[in-house]
Amino acid sequence: MPPSETSHPAASGAFCQRPRLGKMAAPEEQELSQTQTEKLLQFQDLTGLESMDQCRRTLEQHNWNIEAAVQDRLNEQEGVPSVFNPPSSRPLQVNTADHRVYSYIVSRPQPRGLLGWSYYLIMLPFRITYYTLLDIFRFALRFIRPDPRGRVTDPVGDVMSFIHTFEERYGRSHPVFYQGTYSQALNDAKRELRFLLVYLHGDDHQDTDEFCRNTLCSEEVVNFINGRMLLWACSSNKPEGYRVSQALRENTYPFLAMIMLKDRKMTVVGRLEGVIQPEDLINQLTFIMEANQTYLMSERLEREERNQTQVLRQQQDEAYMASLRADQEKDRKKREEQEQRRHQEEMARQSILAEERRRRTLQEEKERKSECLPQEPAVDDPDSVKIVFKLPNDSRVERRFLFTQSLTVIHDFLFSLKETPEKFQIVTNFPRRVLPCLPTEEQPNPPTLQEAGLSRSEVLFVQDLTDD
């Protein structure tokens, strides 16, 4: 026990053994124990679920731990990942190694002297009557009008409203309050591996004002809490504070609960109730932290190991992806080269086929022109013209034509020869001129040999125009 416990005559602190949860009932056992029935009704009242089967399944999943079940349900309603439920890919893990929670309760001082006992005995009947009537009134009111605190519509607004009211009454010199919902505070404490101190504020309790002014707002407590843990606080009169109060089940106010990640679950490891002096509060919180520090250290080591494993796996994945990308790039270039070669081969094949078709067409055209040529006139025909053609390959070809025939006949004759190029023109030697053998727009009908001014014996030159 810490020293402060022994020095405070009105305080009692101990590791109170929580009752161990019983084994899950066999499928054929339909009846529940009285404790389980009470928890089932309480869970339905807190969560608002209409289906009793769903309430029972949820509690059975959490091994009838109502705090974990209620918090898990609240997380689902807010869209926040559960801090109690393990991932669905893992089997449900329940911590059975240690069910002890450190509890420290400070009782109100007993009356002293004759005057104190006289005042206490005189006021006792009034207190009993007042609180009895108040409980009866609240119990009856539940049947007439449901408790508005049971419906949480703006949890962040409830927390911010409490902080604003607290600062108006006690000033701004206080520990830093977490500005978010209880579920968000649990998630942040779990992610950051920090202790979470939960303070439930009882507005109507007679000890609340003294605790807030003298203890919670004291400089040493402010510095201690701000440097070592997260602090979430809310009034139990607010819906958000009320549902946390129902989950933690405090006995009196002021109420503090220390929560931390223990065995991979957010667990209450300490409960402090009653008016605690600043020095005593620091001692109790220090004792709880030191008693559970090993769990956080173990979790930090495990998380660091998981992070290192994750980093190593990520590096391996990155190296694999880089190698895969390099192989894919090689394959892509190889495919592009193969595709380019196939394209070039196809282009060459198409070019060869086109050239063959062109030559075949040209040959067919030559044969057709040769068949359509008029018969060569006789040597002694007075209208005949003897023409000697000099081809580009220095060979000579001689043929007779009639003066009345068109120059197109000369062109068709030359075109039908194998030695003649595909494109050519016929040129006279002197004077040098090109004979218009083919029709044009200006001269659709080429002239005859006589109109072209050819004599009875001519030498004409065939000029190759294929390159042009």
Side-chain angles (χ1 to χ4, degrees):
M1 293 296 173
S4 60
E5 243 184 279
T6 58
S7 61
H8 200 300
S12 61
F15 275 102
C16 301
Q17 181 73 27
R18 281 191 176 179
R20 292 185 178 270
L21 300 174
K23 292 185 178 180
M24 300 287 289
E28 64 272 15
E29 296 178 1
Q30 302 295 332
E31 295 184 0
L32 300 175
S33 65
Q34 182 178 357
T35 303
Q36 291 176 336
T37 304
E38 292 176 356
K39 289 184 177 181
L40 185 63
L41 296 175
Q42 184 179 358
F43 179 78
Q44 186 182 34
D45 182 54
L46 292 174
T47 59
L49 291 175
E50 296 181 359
S51 174
M52 191 66 71
D53 292 338
Q54 185 177 358
C55 294
R56 179 173 178 175
R57 284 196 304 270
T58 304
L59 285 171
E60 288 176 348
Q61 290 174 357
H62 293 79
N63 208 14
W64 293 92
N65 187 334
I66 190 169
E67 295 180 8
V70 170
Q71 184 57 51
D72 193 51
R73 178 63 183 172
L74 298 181
N75 288 344
E76 292 178 359
Q77 292 176 350
E78 294 180 8
V80 179
S82 171
V83 296
F84 290 101
N85 241 353
S88 57
S89 58
R90 300 179 181 177
L92 183 62
Q93 298 180 356
V94 180
N95 180 15
T96 58
D98 186 6
H99 289 273
R100 296 182 299 170
V101 176
Y102 179 77
S103 180
Y104 183 77
I105 302 175
V106 180
S107 304
R108 292 188 57 79
Q110 298 293 330
R112 294 182 181 180
L114 181 61
L115 183 61
W117 278 104
S118 300
Y119 177 78
Y120 175 76
L121 293 175
I122 293 174
M123 295 302 298
L124 181 61
F126 295 99
R127 290 196 184 98
I128 295 176
T129 304
Y130 171 76
Y131 287 111
T132 302
L133 293 176
L134 183 61
D135 291 340
I136 295 174
F137 174 75
R138 289 176 176 174
F139 180 77
L141 190 62
R142 290 182 58 185
F143 294 94
I144 302 174
R145 181 176 63 88
D147 194 338
R149 298 178 300 176
R151 183 177 180 83
V152 181
T153 57
D154 185 13
V156 177
D158 294 341
V159 175
M160 297 306 297
S161 175
F162 163 74
I163 295 175
H164 180 70
T165 304
F166 188 93
E167 291 180 346
E168 284 184 346
R169 187 166 186 178
Y170 304 108
R172 294 181 176 272
S173 178
H174 60 77
V176 177
F177 293 127
Y178 184 92
Q179 298 184 5
T181 67
Y182 175 64
S183 299
Q184 293 169 346
L186 286 172
N187 287 327
D188 284 353
K190 180 180 181 180
R191 184 179 63 255
E192 299 173 10
L193 292 179
R194 299 182 65 182
F195 287 96
L196 173 63
L197 183 63
V198 175
Y199 168 60
L200 291 179
H201 185 83
D203 295 278
D204 303 327
H205 198 274
Q206 55 188 345
D207 295 332
T208 297
D209 189 73
E210 178 186 351
F211 174 77
C212 292
R213 292 187 186 278
N214 300 333
T215 301
L216 192 59
C217 293
S218 65
E219 183 178 357
E220 55 268 30
V221 172
V222 171
N223 295 333
F224 179 84
I225 293 178
N226 289 344
R228 291 171 174 80
M229 64 194 70
L230 297 177
L231 173 62
W232 184 89
C234 190
S235 170
S236 59
N237 288 338
K238 301 290 184 181
E240 175 71 354
Y242 176 72
R243 70 173 178 179
V244 176
S245 169
Q246 295 298 304
L248 298 180
R249 311 301 297 173
E250 77 283 1
N251 297 313
T252 185
Y253 295 98
F255 175 78
L256 295 167
M258 184 73 86
I259 302 176
M260 60 168 288
L261 183 63
K262 185 177 180 181
D263 299 328
R264 298 189 178 182
K265 295 188 296 183
M266 295 303 288
T267 307
V268 177
V269 295
R271 299 165 62 94
L272 307 177
E273 301 179 78
V275 181
I276 307 177
Q277 298 305 315
E279 182 180 358
D280 197 11
L281 175 61
I282 293 175
N283 290 337
Q284 296 302 323
L285 292 177
T286 302
F287 177 75
I288 295 173
M289 293 172 65
E290 290 177 351
N292 295 276
Q293 193 66 36
T294 54
Y295 294 102
L296 282 185
M297 293 178 61
S298 175
E299 184 63 32
R300 287 193 182 98
L301 292 176
E302 289 183 11
R303 184 171 295 185
E304 183 177 354
E305 183 178 352
R306 289 195 300 269
N307 291 339
Q308 291 177 353
T309 303
Q310 184 177 1
V311 170
L312 179 60
R313 185 181 295 110
Q314 183 177 359
Q315 292 175 349
Q316 293 174 345
D317 292 343
E318 291 176 354
Y320 170 76
M321 291 304 298
S323 176
L324 180 61
R325 285 192 296 268
D327 293 340
Q328 291 175 345
E329 182 65 17
K330 291 180 181 178
D331 294 340
R332 186 186 64 81
K333 290 183 177 180
K334 185 177 180 180
R335 287 194 302 269
E336 288 181 354
E337 292 175 356
Q338 293 175 350
E339 184 65 25
Q340 186 175 4
R341 283 197 300 269
R342 283 196 297 267
H343 179 70
Q344 292 175 351
E345 292 173 356
E346 181 65 20
M347 290 294 293
R349 189 178 68 85
Q350 293 295 335
S351 177
I352 293 174
L353 292 176
E355 180 65 20
E356 290 178 355
R357 286 194 299 268
R358 187 189 64 80
R359 290 179 179 179
R360 187 167 56 251
T361 302
L362 180 61
Q363 184 62 31
E364 292 174 355
E365 183 68 15
K366 286 179 177 290
E367 293 176 356
R368 189 180 64 82
K369 292 290 187 181
S370 177
E371 294 175 357
C372 294
L373 286 174
Q375 188 176 3
E376 185 178 2
V379 179
D380 55 351
D381 191 331
D383 292 330
S384 65
V385 178
K386 178 184 176 182
I387 301 177
V388 177
F389 300 98
K390 296 188 67 175
L391 302 178
N393 59 358
D394 294 334
S395 62
R396 291 173 178 265
V397 177
E398 180 181 332
R399 193 182 190 278
R400 292 184 299 277
F401 300 90
L402 295 175
F403 276 111
T404 57
Q405 290 177 340
S406 172
L407 292 177
T408 305
V409 178
I410 299 176
H411 184 277
D412 291 345
F413 167 72
L414 292 174
F415 181 79
S416 65
L417 300 177
K418 293 182 179 181
E419 299 84 356
T420 308
E422 183 178 351
K423 294 181 181 180
F424 61 91
Q425 64 182 5
I426 303 172
V427 182
T428 61
N429 189 20
F430 186 82
R432 181 177 175 80
R433 59 191 178 94
V434 178
L435 296 178
C437 298
L438 299 177
T440 60
E441 292 181 359
E442 295 80 5
Q443 194 175 15
N445 296 317
T448 62
L449 276 66
Q450 187 175 7
E451 292 173 348
L454 299 181
S455 61
R456 292 185 63 85
S457 179
E458 288 284 347
V459 177
L460 299 179
F461 295 87
V462 179
Q463 186 176 357
D464 189 359
L465 299 179
T466 303
D467 294 339
D468 297 338

